Amino acid sequence: MNCLEAMTAFVRVAELSSFTAAAQSLGLPKSSASAAVSQLEAHLKIQLFHRTTRRVQLTHDGQAYYERCRDVLAELDELDAMFERTQGALTGALRVDMPVSMARNFLMPRLPEFLSQHPGIAIELSCTDRRVDVVAEGFDCVIRVGSLSDSALMSRPLGLMHTGNYASPAYLARHGEPQTLDDLAGHHLIHYALTLGARPFGFEYRDGDEYKVIDMPGRITVNNTEAFSSAALAGLGIFQSPRTGNRHHVAEGRLVEILPAYEAEPLPVSMIYPRRRHQASRVRAFMDWVVEIMRDYLD
């Protein structure tokens, strides 16, 4: 038995609660992940998981072993990278998640720079608007827009993303351009909701020192940022969206910014990552690079 490979398989099964998902994430057959854990249990003479046809759950001993294994693997990863700082050759894989629009507008145009500086690094990039489970899904770092609630993770503030109000020229030609908040009574808002069926939020604006919301009708609700932008470009209503992602649409005449004096509350942008005693050099290098490129886009 290769103890290191078995420990790696065990940790992934523990994080994903599935032999199948763990094997897929490691690029192994399911039988290999199952055999590795079984060999580890035989070697340790303990049961690591309660197994049923529907669920895989850590035993009490398995939980204690998992916590130590996670630290050991992180320390080994750091040990492998011990001399990378002086040699300037970072290697290994990174698993990162961020919103679709952020990957398209900010990361992808600049990513060749990072990869040319570190040719030994490979990146697995997940682009989704849902809230991923950072630990369970094995992410090294995640960029999140909005408030944070998971205190089990570490966070690094990146800045604030300011929001503007936009509509397409075709929409404004049909409905007129609103000049005041009262004019919104004759308009439609494109609603955004991660969970379809949730109550639409409405048009947010700042009134003095507080933010208020005007309920507005809408003919479409979307649950991802790509559809959100596409709906606005198609003339389906007014939408409130970060300015950084819409500047090129305004410059090219596809969108018009309206009611500039009424801005929604700026959105905090943060980088979150697992709470570990040691962090691989490649992860630190990537995070520092993201902080640097985001300075051009965030306040």
Side-chain angles (χ1 to χ4, degrees):
M1 179 186 68
N2 184 313
C3 190
L4 181 58
E5 291 179 359
M7 288 169 62
T8 301
F10 161 70
V11 167
R12 294 306 292 142
V13 173
E15 290 174 340
L16 297 174
S17 300
S18 166
F19 282 95
T20 301
Q24 289 175 345
S25 73
L26 294 170
L28 299 172
K30 178 184 176 183
S31 57
S32 297
S34 179
V37 172
S38 295
Q39 291 170 14
L40 195 58
E41 289 178 318
H43 173 71
L44 297 170
K45 297 181 176 58
I46 60 171
Q47 183 178 353
L48 296 170
F49 292 107
H50 296 299
R51 299 168 174 85
T52 69
T53 55
R54 294 185 177 182
R55 192 176 183 187
V56 178
Q57 185 176 14
L58 285 167
T59 63
H60 179 74
D61 288 337
Q63 180 64 42
Y65 188 65
Y66 164 71
E67 292 173 1
R68 294 298 301 274
C69 270
R70 190 174 57 184
D71 285 341
V72 167
L73 292 174
E75 289 178 7
L76 286 173
D77 197 26
E78 178 69 13
L79 185 62
D80 285 342
M82 187 173 176
F83 301 105
E84 288 177 351
R85 297 185 190 90
T86 57
Q87 296 173 351
L90 302 179
T91 61
L94 287 169
R95 181 173 292 182
V96 182
D97 177 83
M98 65 183 61
V100 178
S101 59
M102 186 165 289
R104 182 191 66 232
N105 295 324
F106 310 142
L107 185 79
M108 287 302 184
R110 302 284 299 272
L111 191 56
E113 301 172 21
F114 179 80
L115 293 179
S116 66
Q117 292 170 16
H118 306 289
I121 291 180
I123 295 179
E124 294 180 350
L125 179 61
S126 165
C127 297
T128 175
D129 292 333
R130 71 177 177 88
R131 290 294 178 98
V132 299
D133 188 322
V134 178
V135 174
E137 297 181 55
F139 286 103
D140 293 298
C141 64
V142 168
I143 298 177
R144 227 167 239 181
V145 179
S147 58
L148 302 177
S149 58
D150 195 339
S151 60
L153 300 170
M154 301 294 288
S155 67
R156 188 171 176 177
L158 297 179
L160 293 174
M161 186 173 283
H162 287 271
T163 299
N165 312 307
Y166 303 93
S168 72
Y171 173 85
L172 296 176
R174 291 194 306 270
H175 299 277
E177 181 175 342
Q179 302 297 322
T180 68
L181 293 177
D182 291 338
D183 292 341
L184 292 176
H187 288 269
H188 295 288
L189 188 68
I190 300 170
H191 295 297
Y192 179 91
L194 282 176
T195 303
L196 294 179
R199 185 176 181 273
F201 186 66
F203 183 94
E204 185 181 22
Y205 69 99
R206 183 171 181 170
D207 182 14
D209 294 328
E210 62 179 342
Y211 289 92
K212 297 182 178 179
V213 175
I214 297 173
D215 289 331
M216 284 184 64
R219 302 183 66 186
I220 183 169
T221 300
V222 299
N223 66 352
N224 71 71
T225 53
E226 287 293 301
F228 196 39
S229 176
S230 296
L233 292 168
L236 294 175
I238 295 169
F239 87 136
Q240 296 187 287
S241 175
R243 285 195 169 96
T244 51
N246 291 291
R247 287 172 184 156
H248 65 294
H249 290 314
V250 173
E252 295 166 7
R254 291 194 294 268
L255 289 176
V256 176
E257 184 170 5
I258 60 174
L259 299 172
Y262 299 99
E263 182 180 311
E265 186 171 6
L267 298 169
V269 181
S270 309
M271 188 161 0
I272 59 175
Y273 50 98
R275 190 182 297 272
R276 291 173 180 154
R277 284 189 294 175
H278 300 285
Q279 190 176 61
S281 299
R282 63 180 177 274
V283 178
R284 288 197 303 271
F286 179 78
M287 290 170 61
D288 290 342
W289 176 76
V290 168
V291 169
E292 196 63 35
I293 67 170
M294 283 296 182
R295 286 178 180 162
D296 295 337
Y297 303 102
L298 304 176
D299 294 327

